[in-house]
Every structure is written in structure tokens, then in C-alpha cells.
């Protein structure tokens, strides 16, 4: 075989030129000033060029580029044109205009769920956060505080949290309904993901923890009790649910993360009922695919009706450690709950003490 006469261009390339080349080839754009400066500085401090490439291909931006190149442009129909009588523009408490969908009876939730599934809403690039980032590392570390051996993540996407848990020695599994997420799942995680609806999957009742990060609010309110009851059954005695939910109004532990910015919500919150107005985007799709808009008290009641207990001591310990990160980088993460299946006070006290004592290695 004749040797390639061309010189090794990468060997003689400056750090700045190398980083620019990586951005163009991997992200399809010129390097921004911050990204260029940070990567060049890292290279001069000993980071290898291979590590720069790895950093870019595991970034959330690269996954967005990858999904668009794999699945192409994705356009959803305008729901307002299909059922215009269900939509109206209202004024928020701050004086802004916002689009809403009015639920008049339970069948409206079924219709929205059907539209989401039939039109592949969750195959749309950008719906899921697909890469390992600081947020995922924090979530995996929180799960580690519970000392679990086997856990199940609902709506696991490509499996970034599962990947981190596996590396930490935990046996993770996931549940996912998106073909796109499963296709792009981390190789070491893909076989651990159960594809389909939680209510229809054949799973063993032996998990130490169930994780639901921004998942339960996507479920059809007509079936939410079935999902929460299934979670209760899948957990072993003393097991936990850790879940982040956009719960509106003031909560006695995490305060007010999501304000009641529509007048109808304030009225319905006093009645401990679901909100009949759903905030939607310009095309009529519920914001982020959320079908359940409700208060913290409503959500707590749903889990307690299934037999769960809210473990506020553990929640408070987690807030003490992680709120600085949440407030600075992910305010919505403050709206989380810890529920247990008959955990003893000795166990929950021990977990809370451990969280306070060990703190975080990620922050």
C-alpha cells in the first residue's frame, strides 16, 4: 500500500485552529468566543485534543445536531386549527398575553394525549435533554445518597442518568416511549431500557427507587392514579420515589417555584383540583407536553392516595445541599418530592443525616 503523501494537518495545526475545526465539523458552526477560549486554555493546561472532541460530541448541542441530521426537520400540526373552540388568549397576573387550552371534561385530556402520540410529539428534536451534563450528574448523585442497589427511571430519554448510575455501581433500568431517544441511547444503557407504556410493561416488583424527572406531568390525568399505583407496586417495602414536578403555588418545603399566574388557577388551587386551563404554545401544544397543571398539594395527595408518604426531612436535607446549584442553574429543579413506601423513620433519618454529612462532590 502506498503511504498517503499528505502531511498530518492536525499535528501542525494550532490549538485555536483545531478547536475551530472541531466546532465546524461537529456542531456545524464557528466556535463562539467563550467556547474557543475555554477549550484553548484547557489544551494549554494539558487537556488532550481527543478529550476536546469527546467533550463536544457528548454535549447537549451535539445531540441536537445529531437528531436533526438523523430525523430531519420535524413539523407538528397546529392544534388550534383542528379544534379552535378549545383555545383562547388570556392575560396573566403580570399583564402578558398567553395561549391556553380549556379542558371542559375528561375527554379533552384523552384528545390531547391522542394528538401527542399520533403526531409523534416526543420524537421532536429538543423535547428531551439527551446528554450527560451537570444537571444529570447532580440527579445521579442525589440518587446515590439513598444507597439504592436497583432503580427504575421513568422517561429516561437516552439514558444519561442511567449511565452515571451504572458507573457508580447501581443497577439501573429505564422506561421510554420515544423511538428517537431509544435510537440515540448510550450503548451500555440501551439494553436496560424498556420501550413502551409503564402500565403495559412486564417489570419485576423489586426496585429500591423509582426516578421521575419531569415525567408525571406528561401523563394523562385520567390515568395518573394508575401510574402512581403501579409505581407503588413496583417498589420494594421501604423503597422511594424521587421526582421533579412543576407544582404550582406555595409549598411548605420548597416554597413557590411556579406562581399561579392565571386567575382561574388561583380559584382552582383553593379547591385542590386540577387546573382546567393548560398553557399552550403558538400552535396549541401544551407547553413541554405537560397535560397536568396542578398545585403541590394536589400532587402530594395523588401520591398519598396510592399509599406513599412524603419524606420532608430528606427533602429539606437535599435542599440544604443542592439549592445553591438549583437557584443558579436550574430553578425548576427545586420543585421536587421524595415519597416512600412505608420507610421507617430510622431509615429516613439516617438518609437525611448522610446527605448533610456527605454533601456534594459535584458542586
Amino acid at each position: 500500500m502506498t503511504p498517503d503523501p499528505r502531511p498530518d494537518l492536525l499535528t501542525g495545526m494550532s490549538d485555536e485552529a483545531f478547536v475551530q475545526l472541531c466546532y465546524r465539523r461537529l456542531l456545524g458552526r464557528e466556535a463562539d468566543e467563550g467556547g474557543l477560549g475555554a477549550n484553548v486554555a484547557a489544551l494549554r493546561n494539558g487537556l488532550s485534543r481527543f478529550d476536546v472532541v469527546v467533550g463536544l460530541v457528548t454535549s447537549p448541542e451535539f445531540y441536537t445536531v445529531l437528531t436533526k441530521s438523523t430525523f430531519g426537520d420535524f413539523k407538528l400540526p397546529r392544534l388550534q386549527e383542528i379544534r379552535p373552540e378549545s383555545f383562547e388568549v388570556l392575560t396573566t397576573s403580570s399583564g402578558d398575553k398567553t395561549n391556553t387550552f380549556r379542558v371542559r371534561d375528561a375527554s379533552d385530556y384523552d384528545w390531547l394525549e391522542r394528538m401527542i402520540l399520533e403526531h409523534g410529539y416526543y420524537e421532536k428534536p429538543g423535547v428531551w435533554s439527551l446528554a450527560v451534563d451537570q444537571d444529570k450528574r447532580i440527579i445521579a448523585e442525589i440518587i446515590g445518597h439513598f444507597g439504592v442497589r436497583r432503580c427504575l427511571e421513568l422517561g429516561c430519554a437516552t439514558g444519561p442518568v442511567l449511565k452515571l448510575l451504572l458507573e457508580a455501581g447501581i443497577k439501573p433500568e429505564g422506561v421510554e416511549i420515544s423511538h428517537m431517544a431509544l435510537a440515540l441511547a448510550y450503548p451500555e444503557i440501551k439494553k436496560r431500557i424498556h420501550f413502551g407504556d409503564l402500565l403495559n410493561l412486564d417489570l419485576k416488583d423489586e426496585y429500591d427507587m423509582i426516578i421521575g424527572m419531569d415525567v408525571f406531568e406528561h401523563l394523562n390525568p385520567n390515568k395518573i392514579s394508575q401510574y402512581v399505583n403501579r409505581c407503588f407496586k413496583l417498589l420494594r417495602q421501604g423503597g422511594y420515589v424521587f421526582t421533579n414536578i412543576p407544582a404550582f403555588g406555595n409549598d411548605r418545603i420548597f416554597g413557590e417555584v411556579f406562581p399561579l399566574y392565571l386567575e382561574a388557577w388561583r380559584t382552582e388551587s383553593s379547591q385542590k383540583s386540577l387546573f382546567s386551563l393548560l398553557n399552550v404554545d403558538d400552535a396549541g401544544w401544551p407547553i413541554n407536553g405537560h397535560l397536568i397543571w396542578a398545585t403541590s398539594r394536589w400532587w402530594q395527595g395523588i401520591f398519598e392516595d396510592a399509599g406513599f408518604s412524603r419524606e420532608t426531612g430528606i427533602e429539606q436535607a437535599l435542599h440544604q445541599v443542592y439549592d445553591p446549584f438549583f437557584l443558579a442553574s436550574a430553578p425548576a429543579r427545586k420543585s421536587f418530592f421524595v415519597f416512600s413506601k412505608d420507610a421507617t423513620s430510622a431509615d429516613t433519618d439516617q438518609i437525611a443525616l448522610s446527605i448533610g454529612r456527605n454533601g456534594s462532590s459535584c458542586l
Side-chain angles (χ1 to χ4, degrees):
M1 179 180 293
T2 304
D4 190 336
R6 294 174 300 176
D8 186 344
L9 297 178
L10 294 183
T11 301
M13 184 178 288
S14 69
D15 289 340
E16 289 87 349
F18 174 76
V19 173
Q20 285 284 15
L21 178 65
C22 289
Y23 269 77
R24 293 190 196 105
R25 294 291 179 86
L26 298 176
L27 302 184
R29 66 176 176 85
E30 296 297 314
D32 56 278
E33 184 177 344
L36 177 62
N39 279 291
V40 169
L43 286 169
R44 291 174 180 170
N45 285 325
L47 189 73
S48 71
R49 292 189 170 185
F50 175 78
D51 287 332
V52 169
V53 173
V54 170
L56 290 176
V57 299
T58 56
S59 69
E61 183 178 354
F62 180 76
Y63 272 89
T64 299
V65 172
L66 184 60
T67 54
K68 286 183 178 179
S69 64
T70 303
F71 295 93
D73 290 332
F74 193 98
K75 293 184 179 180
L76 293 168
R78 296 181 60 82
L79 294 185
Q80 290 170 329
E81 295 177 357
I82 300 174
R83 188 187 279 195
E85 69 278 6
S86 296
F87 296 89
E88 55 188 305
V89 178
L90 297 177
T91 303
T92 69
S93 56
S94 61
D96 298 321
K97 299 294 184 180
T98 191
N99 297 308
T100 64
F101 176 93
R102 183 174 293 279
V103 175
R104 291 182 169 81
D105 58 54
S107 66
D108 288 334
Y109 291 119
D110 294 333
W111 181 78
L112 284 172
E113 180 187 40
R114 188 167 66 254
M115 292 296 100
I116 286 173
L117 296 177
E118 286 182 0
H119 295 288
Y121 180 90
Y122 293 123
E123 310 302 333
K124 177 183 177 183
V127 171
W128 305 111
S129 176
L130 304 175
V132 170
D133 54 20
Q134 181 69 348
D135 175 68
K136 304 302 185 300
R137 294 186 182 94
I138 292 293
I139 300 306
E141 184 178 77
I142 288 174
I143 304 309
H145 284 303
F146 288 80
V148 301
R149 294 166 297 175
R150 187 174 182 183
C151 67
L152 179 71
E153 183 182 10
L154 309 181
C156 64
T158 56
V161 173
L162 300 182
K163 172 180 167 64
L164 293 168
L165 293 175
L166 183 65
E167 292 171 354
I170 296 171
K171 295 180 180 179
E173 296 175 33
V175 171
E176 184 52 65
I177 64 168
S178 168
H179 292 87
M180 181 268 287
L182 188 63
L184 299 176
Y186 290 93
E188 66 268 43
I189 291 300
K190 184 171 292 189
K191 290 184 179 180
R192 294 175 175 270
I193 298 176
H194 305 275
F195 183 78
D197 190 312
L198 178 66
L199 298 181
N200 301 324
L201 293 173
D202 182 19
L203 303 172
K204 296 181 179 180
D205 306 341
E206 57 185 11
Y207 298 102
D208 302 308
M209 172 168 276
I210 291 177
I211 311 164
M213 306 309 296
D214 295 308
V215 168
F216 287 103
E217 68 273 14
H218 292 263
L219 301 174
N220 186 332
N222 297 329
K223 297 183 284 188
I224 186 62
S225 293
Q226 296 177 52
Y227 284 105
V228 177
N229 285 329
R230 182 76 198 281
C231 289
F232 189 85
K233 188 174 186 299
L234 287 171
L235 281 175
R236 67 168 180 79
Q237 200 74 4
Y240 295 91
V241 169
F242 179 77
T243 180
N244 180 216
I245 297 172
F248 287 78
N250 189 60
D251 180 80
R252 60 194 175 98
I253 303 300
F254 55 75
E256 184 179 73
V257 178
F258 298 92
L260 299 164
Y261 55 83
L262 291 178
E263 181 60 38
W265 290 356
R266 290 191 284 274
T267 300
E268 290 170 329
S269 67
S270 65
Q271 302 167 351
K272 300 182 181 180
S273 61
L274 277 170
F275 298 163
S276 59
L277 287 170
L278 280 59
N279 214 168
V280 299
D281 61 24
D282 291 340
W285 294 90
I287 299 296
N288 298 321
H290 296 180
L291 294 179
I292 302 180
W293 298 66
T295 64
S296 169
R297 287 189 300 170
W298 185 89
W299 279 108
Q300 182 172 334
I302 287 294
F303 279 86
E304 289 177 343
D305 287 347
F308 286 103
S309 299
R310 185 176 179 183
E311 301 300 346
T312 56
I314 296 177
E315 290 179 17
Q316 288 171 327
L318 290 171
H319 281 293
Q320 286 290 322
V321 174
Y322 295 102
D323 272 4
F325 169 76
F326 295 148
L327 290 170
S329 304
R333 282 286 190 243
K334 277 191 64 183
S335 179
F336 68 79
F337 300 85
V338 175
F339 296 104
S340 78
K341 179 178 179 178
D342 302 324
T344 66
S345 58
D347 286 340
T348 58
D349 289 347
Q350 182 59 41
I351 291 173
L353 286 171
S354 176
I355 292 167
R357 183 168 55 247
N358 296 325
S360 171
S361 60
C362 291
L363 300 178

